Amino acid sequence: MTYRPSGLLLCSSFLSSLLATGHAAAAQTATTTTQVTAPTSTSTSTSTKAATKTPVRKGTETVQVIPQTTTHEAEQVIVTAHLDRARSELSPTTGASVYRFSRQALENIPGGDNAPLNQVLLQAPGVAQDSYGQIHVRGDHNEVQFRLDGVQLPEGLNVFGQALMTRFADNMSLTTGALPSQFGFLQAAVVDITTKNGTTNAGGNLSIYGGARDYFFPSLQYGFHKGKWDFFATADFVHDRVGIENTTGSFNAPHDLSNQYHFLGHTRYTVDEDTRISLIAGISNAEYQLPNNPGQTWQSGYTPPAGSITSSDSLNEHQKQITDFAVLALQKEVGAFSLQDSVFTRYSSLRYSPDPVGDLLYLGNAQQAARSVFSTGTQHDVTWHAARDHTVRFGLQAFVERNVSKTTSNVINTQTNLPVTLHDGSGKTGMVYGIYAQDEWQPLRNLTINYGLRFDGVSEYTAEHQFSPRVNVVWKPWHGGTLHAGYSRYFTPPPFEVVSTTSLTQLANTTAAPNSTTNSKVRAERDHYFDAGFDQTILPGWHVTFDAYYKLAKNLIDEGQFGAPIILSGFNYRHGQVNGYEVSTSYDRGPLSLYGNFAWSRAIGKKITSAQFNFDQGELNYISNHWVHLDHDQRWTASAGAAYTFFHKTRAPLRLSATMVYGSGLRADDEANGIPNGLALTPYATVNFSAVQTIHNTFGKAWQGDTQLRLDVINLGDHTYMLRDGSGIGVGAPQYGLRRTILCGISQGF
């Protein structure tokens, strides 16, 4: 598709009206009164405490107290804050490194609620971007767990689909380092999303957002509370031609249309001031065209039918992804005990449809592939205030999962040179479980020691278990300064949904024959993790943090794409080492917000011990005797941002913001010297810009609600940069970052 200039014209007119409206509305402020005051900026730093007049920070959730509210509504707000605070205390992050995104911080990022969640997380230190929307935290591959209001969601199959939307988050945090005992299974990072609700986000909002590359993104959200009931929901539709990264450096990707539907809802019933029942549910349905990779050469002796399209830049491959989930939770306080019991379920499926002629020509296998995983489980967390200096926490988690894989492979028999259709299918039911106990002990006023023990097990394609001790020490030696150090033993089960179950023998003597028939099972990763750092407040609103870490791994888990379907497959390195450090600073005062992060990391592995059939024998031989960089190892990563709100005390504040992401480059093969992942790609830096004009209570008493006009420019300098070059362990094709994209939108509250 060619680029449509209408998006630029529309955004240009929006910008003109945005600036004109801002100045005009600001001039009228002297005679205008408002009922709702916009919250001031809050820092994304780890140790930030908001200092605002209207919003009141209770636990992890902003509580908006409106002076005109009724007595009943005020009581509901107080109860909500009380229970939110109790819920946050169930999962403390004592001694870990925490990067927080307040509601204001989420809005400051270009795109705001329209920005994909992975793009938001790139603003945290030590987070490297990859193709298909993947992120890598501290040198790990996708071992990031997502929690909604403290409840962990099982993993899904979606590689580039965003089942969780930024719009659903009131605020969120990214926790890394030596994690306390309550965090298990996926431990590279914990993303905990505090969801919006009808008490703190009452009313509705309708938004239309779009622009370049046919980008069209309408969304609707609505929340209310009545009596003891509370409801919030958001739904959206995304249509664009940037669903998956471009395989070329061109402005528009060939064959890259996507349509995505999302719904997220939250219902809560407050039984009394100490009891609450909540239900969270979500649906994500996405269809993608897979971008073509021009210039490929045939890899089989197959002669295509007369008249068929055989150019690699004209293939027609598709992938469909579905994710559904639900979480039912009971929160209760009984004397010195506080608990949250939850049950959850998640269904995730992925279906790949090949180009029947092209995939056979270029890959030797036109394979229809379908995978699904159904997970259900329970999580229980209890806090016991046992004594003035001791807070005891304990709980358990258990997932039962069913994994189903089906393939239909159209290949050529190399002995008869005739087409052959082969069917393969498998299913497996397994379980992952863990229990923990820990004590947060404060022997001195400025010293906290959190020590605990986990027991984790997996019974799926592998059956293993481990006891994992953990300890963290936090010391505040002077005012505004905090030192921490910790050790955690980790046990990471192999992701059930990415373990290959392909029958290798039936592909023998075909154009899809594997390099070998060795397919040792993927085993659980076992780590020793060390972390230490400090946090210092330099001046009011200005914070600086430093953190260093080292991980020694056995059976380090990595993932790669092997074949045309964008389905990741897991494998192990027998030995792994990951180490690095991070520096972060932020300043937040009044209308100005600034932050900057940079990180250095090294992730290496040696000797592949599972799923060997995916690799060439030469690669296996080299990696057996040499340490190699992991394919996602990026030496330097940095991010920065600035936001300033003009007329911030008026009815019509105008916010300008910009963010920057820098990467020194992921890995590629050094083909000249025969070293897998031996080279780093070219470094890059991209800048995003945003201008947002808000008009509070635009239509007065006739229709209460704010109007917002926004202009966002992604990759402001139109920098062409490569995320992948198509080489490297488990890399299927080249991927380039998004070129300059101009988007604009309007939203209306009601």
Side-chain angles (χ1 to χ4, degrees), residues 246-258:
N246 197 342
T247 56
T248 72
S250 61
F251 195 78
N252 292 298
H255 195 258
D256 199 11
L257 176 68
S258 72

Side-chain angles (χ1 to χ4, degrees), residues 199-462:
T199 302
T200 59
N201 295 272
N205 185 277
L206 176 63
S207 171
I208 303 293
Y209 186 66
R213 298 182 182 82
D214 295 346
Y215 196 90
F216 179 58
F217 187 1
S219 64
L220 174 67
Q221 70 175 43
Y222 186 73
F224 71 90
H225 73 267
K226 184 176 182 181
K228 296 183 177 183
W229 287 96
D230 182 289
F231 173 82
F232 181 85
T234 179
D236 62 59
F237 167 69
V238 182
H239 170 89
D240 61 29
R241 295 189 179 276
V242 291
I244 306 176
E245 285 81 6
N246 197 342
T247 56
T248 72
S250 61
F251 195 78
N252 292 298
H255 195 258
D256 199 11
L257 176 68
S258 72
N259 289 306
Q260 306 171 46
Y261 309 83
H262 308 95
F263 169 82
L264 291 165
H266 189 184
T267 300
R268 303 197 300 195
Y269 179 73
T270 304
V271 180
D272 53 48
E273 64 180 5
D274 294 323
T275 309
R276 180 168 63 187
I277 301 172
S278 63
L279 173 65
I280 302 175
I283 298 172
S284 174
N285 191 321
E287 298 183 5
Y288 300 88
Q289 292 178 339
L290 270 59
N292 293 321
N293 187 11
Q296 296 185 73
T297 57
W298 293 6
Q299 295 187 13
S300 71
Y302 171 61
T303 301
S308 60
I309 298 176
T310 58
S311 173
S312 66
D313 58 1
S314 301
L315 304 184
N316 188 24
E317 300 168 329
H318 295 80
Q319 194 154 302
K320 182 176 182 178
Q321 300 180 169
I322 296 174
T323 295
D324 303 324
F325 69 88
V327 177
L328 179 64
L330 168 66
Q331 185 183 347
K332 180 71 175 176
E333 289 193 80
V334 183
F337 291 88
S338 178
L339 60 88
Q340 179 167 275
D341 298 326
S342 60
V343 292
F344 46 82
T345 185
R346 178 170 185 167
Y347 172 79
S348 179
S349 69
L350 183 153
R351 184 178 298 273
Y352 169 77
S353 299
D355 184 292
V357 175
D359 279 28
L360 190 57
L361 277 172
Y362 296 101
L363 301 172
N365 187 357
Q367 182 186 81
Q368 295 182 1
R371 285 192 185 182
S372 66
V373 58
F374 179 81
S375 305
T376 186
T378 184
Q379 177 178 327
H380 305 273
D381 299 293
V382 181
T383 295
W384 174 31
H385 298 283
R388 184 171 60 89
D389 299 331
H390 290 272
T391 301
V392 177
R393 296 179 175 90
F394 52 91
L396 64 90
Q397 293 170 284
F399 302 160
V400 177
E401 302 179 290
R402 174 68 179 175
N403 186 10
V404 176
S405 176
K406 297 179 180 180
T407 61
T408 299
S409 299
N410 295 302
V411 297
I412 302 297
N413 187 307
T414 54
Q415 296 179 334
T416 64
N417 204 32
L418 296 175
V420 179
T421 299
L422 302 173
H423 301 280
D424 188 20
S426 63
K428 181 75 172 179
T429 301
M431 183 178 185
V432 177
Y433 52 91
I435 59 175
Y436 71 90
Q438 61 186 344
D439 177 23
E440 186 176 305
W441 175 35
Q442 193 171 10
L444 301 173
R445 182 181 57 84
N446 62 345
L447 178 65
T448 301
I449 302 173
N450 191 75
Y451 56 95
L453 183 67
R454 279 192 69 93
F455 176 77
D456 294 297
V458 57
S459 179
E460 294 178 335
Y461 292 105
T462 182

